[in-house]
Amino acid sequence: MYLALGAMPAHARPDTHLAAGPWCFAGREEQFPGWEHDFRLAPEPLADADAATMAARAAQTLCVRIIPQVAESLDSHWTVLPLIYWQFLLAPWAIEVASHIVEHAMRCQAMRDVWGNESLTVSLMPAGISFDFKDEHDFSLRGSLGLGYNHWLFSRLLEASWPHKWQKEYIAFDGNKAQSTEPSAKIFPCIKGLVQKMLLSLPCPRLKGMTIFRALKYSRALLHSCRPADHSLRLEEAFDYPDAIAQVNLPDTLPVFMAALPQSIKNLCHKPVKAARKPFLRIASIMAYEDAPYRQILAKWRAAGNRLAFVQHGGNYGQVKNACATAFVEYSQDAFFTWGWKTHGHARGNFIPLPYPQLAAIENRWQGGGPALFIGTEMAAYGYRLDSRPTPLQFVAYRQAKADFLANLGGDLCAQTLYRPYFSLPGTLADAPWLLKRFPGLKLCQGNLLPHMLASRLLVLDHHGTTMLEAFAANAPLVLYWNRSHWPLTKEADELLDLLWECGIWHDSPAKAAQKTREIWDDPASWWHSSQIQSARAVFCRRQALLPNGDMDATWRKTLEEM
């Protein structure tokens, strides 16, 4: 038997080949129709919620412990700068790499457990490949979702504990093309870059859904020194879980981190930072995850003794059971401004609810009149995150549930429904082409999603996320369904889901969701505006999609002035 860690060979057959995971077929599903049923795939080690929690903690621990080693590799005089500088500079990238390593190590152990006594030939990538990631975005595409990098990582982790009955077969890899491009020399992109740099320099940069004028007003409210209390978490104390990392069989991981290090971080120069006389607070843009020079500015800000706050910029915050990267990078700062929630499971942080402009701008703006809208989400074939979301094999079931929903909906209503697939990304399962092949009468939703949502007859979501929060804010008729065990939530979020189930908004199967959709199809607005639904919506919005009660800007300014 042959075990494929990367792309499944074109000549592969179910009786001669094993697959490490769904990624072996990503991008080549048409060559292997029915692969999800015919081929033997390795078991999912993180399908259990407790195992996933342990893995997230192990990744956080690995990240805490590896950052000083990476810092020393970057600069032999790294101790001249305080540890917080290196932690903030490296954490957004390092926690992603740590999550890969832990998740892949657990998959390797699962494969050894189930196939370790079989005589297998295993395809491996050679150790000496130079990926030379250009920046964090390039790493996300060619690393997190890249066939070559993931195959290489599996190879290194399996080599460290190799079953004696397995035989190694090294294969060549030539798909190492960077995804990012050099900055354009044209004047307009340069001006745009300068404007963005200026906006990021504000104490409150322009965030998603926020006008420049509003960003300036909020920035003015931050022009004062902070109160004495510092709510920032020390990563080495808050995220070191010896028991969790002891359960994962890890080799020396520093070579993996250095191989994954993007050029954008390597190119930075590190100089001593002068301590601030008084601490000030500034809000960090989510661009801190992908823009290394901007992140270094914030790292220097923290190294000088100042403080940072992050603002929720989408869904899942305050809901998912495990928030691996967000807890490590964002919640650990002095404050985190939420869209209504005050606690996130066991995650620690200074959580401050505030109405958010992105939601306030669409409050009660649903108008209807258009077709129904069915919206999907990313179906990653790789387990590259350790937040609570479906595993790769569970995403296979998630995709099948789409077909089940549409089949139960019926051809007459399918013809009056638009489907919105997720953005096209490498390393993901086929989305729209897979559905259209089975439901040729289905039409796709294209262009800006928000106008379609506000004009939709009815919105159907098979996952929780940003669009769900926007729909509740806009007061758009909404039918939800997903497999609850595949999307583990916190106790508080589960209680809200129970409320949505009781009034018929959320359903535990695609068939029931389709039945509800058919039931209310003729007049979804009347159903949605019933007292029971509107009462549940009010509770949900108050806790997860907070809307202004009065002057939103005054609320923000008062909160920021009191920080």
Side-chain angles (χ1 to χ4, degrees):
M1 292 291 287
Y2 184 95
L3 172 58
L5 298 177
M8 185 62 69
H11 64 276
R13 303 193 315 269
D15 61 331
T16 60
H17 286 69
L18 303 172
W23 56 86
C24 297
F25 305 95
R28 51 186 58 80
E29 294 188 69
E30 292 185 359
Q31 301 176 37
F32 301 97
W35 64 266
E36 56 267 62
H37 310 294
D38 298 339
F39 282 84
R40 289 170 61 194
L41 279 76
E44 288 283 8
L46 298 179
D48 176 75
D50 291 337
T53 298
M54 182 277 295
R57 291 179 174 179
Q60 291 168 337
T61 304
L62 174 59
C63 195
V64 163
R65 297 180 181 184
I66 204 71
I67 282 176
Q69 298 179 48
V70 176
E72 186 174 11
S73 298
L74 288 171
D75 190 335
S76 59
H77 302 290
W78 71 280
T79 54
V80 172
L81 286 156
L83 180 59
I84 186 61
Y85 169 86
W86 296 104
Q87 287 177 333
F88 191 85
L89 178 67
L90 298 175
W93 159 82
I95 191 61
E96 188 172 354
V97 179
S99 297
H100 293 159
I101 293 173
V102 169
E103 197 270 356
H104 285 38
M106 294 183 70
R107 286 191 177 277
C108 289
Q109 186 57 54
M111 286 188 278
R112 285 191 290 261
D113 290 344
V114 71
W115 294 326
N117 291 324
E118 297 188 30
S119 297
L120 301 180
T121 298
V122 186
S123 64
L124 299 178
M125 296 280 285
I129 295 176
S130 174
F131 291 97
D132 195 24
F133 298 114
K134 189 174 187 60
D135 50 33
E136 290 87 335
H137 179 64
D138 185 26
F139 175 73
S140 294
L141 294 179
R142 290 195 299 128
S144 300
L145 296 169
L147 180 68
Y149 173 78
N150 280 279
H151 194 167
W152 176 86
L153 179 55
F154 276 123
S155 301
R156 305 290 77 77
L157 294 172
L158 278 174
E159 280 181 336
S161 183
W162 189 259
H164 71 279
K165 287 191 175 182
W166 291 8
Q167 292 185 350
K168 301 174 183 177
E169 179 181 280
Y170 288 96
I171 62 174
F173 175 68
D174 57 4
N176 190 28
K177 185 179 179 181
Q179 298 295 319
S180 350
T181 57
E182 291 290 341
S184 171
K186 295 181 179 179
I187 185 169
F188 289 113
C190 288
I191 293 175
K192 183 179 178 181
L194 288 172
V195 171
Q196 183 182 57
K197 188 174 181 180
M198 290 174 60
L199 292 176
L200 289 176
S201 69
L202 293 172
C204 177
R206 190 179 68 152
L207 307 176
K208 184 180 179 182
M210 186 181 292
T211 64
I212 295 177
F213 180 65
R214 183 165 272 142
L216 291 171
K217 286 197 294 185
Y218 296 172
S219 293
R220 184 178 179 182
L222 287 169
L223 298 179
H224 62 89
S225 59
C226 294
R227 290 189 172 186
D230 185 353
H231 300 283
S232 305
L233 302 179
R234 292 173 59 88
L235 300 187
E236 61 273 25
E237 295 176 358
F239 296 101
D240 196 309
Y241 302 96
D243 293 342
I245 201 167
Q247 297 184 51
V248 185
N249 183 22
L250 294 178
D252 177 18
T253 59
L254 182 60
V256 175
F257 279 91
M258 298 312 296
L261 192 66
Q263 201 65 40
S264 56
I265 296 178
K266 293 179 184 178
N267 290 342
L268 298 174
C269 295
H270 312 283
K271 299 179 180 179
V273 175
K274 184 179 180 181
R277 292 183 179 181
K278 294 181 180 180
F280 284 77
L281 175 74
R282 67 186 291 180
I283 293 175
S285 163
I286 202 65
M287 287 296 295
Y289 276 90
E290 292 192 352
D291 187 331
Y294 169 59
R295 193 166 64 249
Q296 186 183 39
I297 292 172
L298 300 181
K300 292 177 179 178
W301 176 266
R302 290 289 284 117
N306 295 302
R307 298 172 197 161
L308 283 174
F310 274 92
V311 181
Q312 180 174 347
H313 70 284
N316 300 325
Y317 289 94
Q319 297 183 44
V320 296
K321 184 173 183 180
N322 294 321
C324 182
T326 52
F328 194 81
V329 176
E330 300 173 57
Y331 295 176
S332 61
Q333 304 306 319
D334 186 67
F336 186 85
F337 299 110
T338 81
W339 290 4
W341 50 273
K342 298 178 181 178
T343 60
H344 187 161
H346 297 294
R348 295 167 56 187
N350 181 23
F351 304 124
I352 303 173
L354 280 175
Y356 191 67
Q358 180 179 341
L359 299 181
I362 58 173
E363 181 180 2
N364 291 315
R365 278 188 55 197
W366 176 79
Q367 296 176 335
L373 187 58
F374 180 26
I375 302 178
T377 191
E378 176 190 1
M379 295 180 285
Y382 291 108
Y384 71 101
R385 296 176 184 163
L386 289 178
D387 294 342
S388 294
R389 62 203 315 269
T391 66
L393 273 179
Q394 288 171 348
F395 268 126
V396 174
Y398 162 85
R399 183 173 66 176
Q400 180 58 48
K402 294 177 185 291
D404 295 342
F405 171 79
L406 292 172
N408 281 278
L409 189 62
D412 55 335
L413 299 192
C414 272
Q416 303 176 61
T417 299
L418 298 179
Y419 177 66
R420 176 72 170 209
Y422 197 73
F423 308 109
S424 179
L425 292 171
T428 56
L429 300 177
D431 193 348
W434 188 89
L435 270 183
L436 291 174
K437 184 177 180 181
R438 289 156 178 79
F439 302 92
L442 187 67
K443 297 180 177 63
L444 297 183
C445 169
Q446 299 177 332
N448 188 358
L449 176 59
L450 184 59
H452 286 286
M453 185 186 79
L454 297 178
S456 65
R457 177 190 195 91
L458 175 68
L459 196 63
V460 179
L461 293 175
D462 57 6
H463 63 285
H464 57 76
T466 307
T467 305
M468 181 179 74
L469 305 184
E470 291 178 328
F472 273 106
N475 212 2
L478 183 65
V479 169
L480 304 169
Y481 80 86
W482 57 76
N483 186 323
R484 204 162 183 162
S485 65
H486 293 178
W487 300 84
L489 301 176
T490 65
K491 178 183 176 182
E492 296 81 5
D494 263 333
E495 291 173 353
L496 279 179
L497 201 60
D498 288 339
L499 178 65
L500 301 183
W501 172 75
E502 289 170 2
C503 65
I505 297 176
W506 181 82
H507 304 270
D508 59 7
S509 75
K512 292 178 182 177
Q515 180 182 352
K516 187 66 179 182
T517 300
R518 294 189 67 87
E519 175 188 320
I520 64 175
W521 185 269
D522 289 340
D523 193 3
S526 293
W527 165 74
W528 184 255
H529 286 98
S530 67
S531 59
Q532 185 185 22
I533 295 288
Q534 288 299 301
S535 176
R537 172 187 175 259
V539 172
F540 186 91
C541 286
R542 188 164 59 249
R543 298 183 187 177
Q544 288 289 339
L546 187 62
L547 297 169
N549 182 17
D551 188 338
M552 181 181 66
D553 289 340
T555 301
W556 268 78
R557 288 198 304 269
K558 183 175 185 296
T559 301
L560 296 178
E561 288 168 355
E562 292 177 351
M563 295 295 292

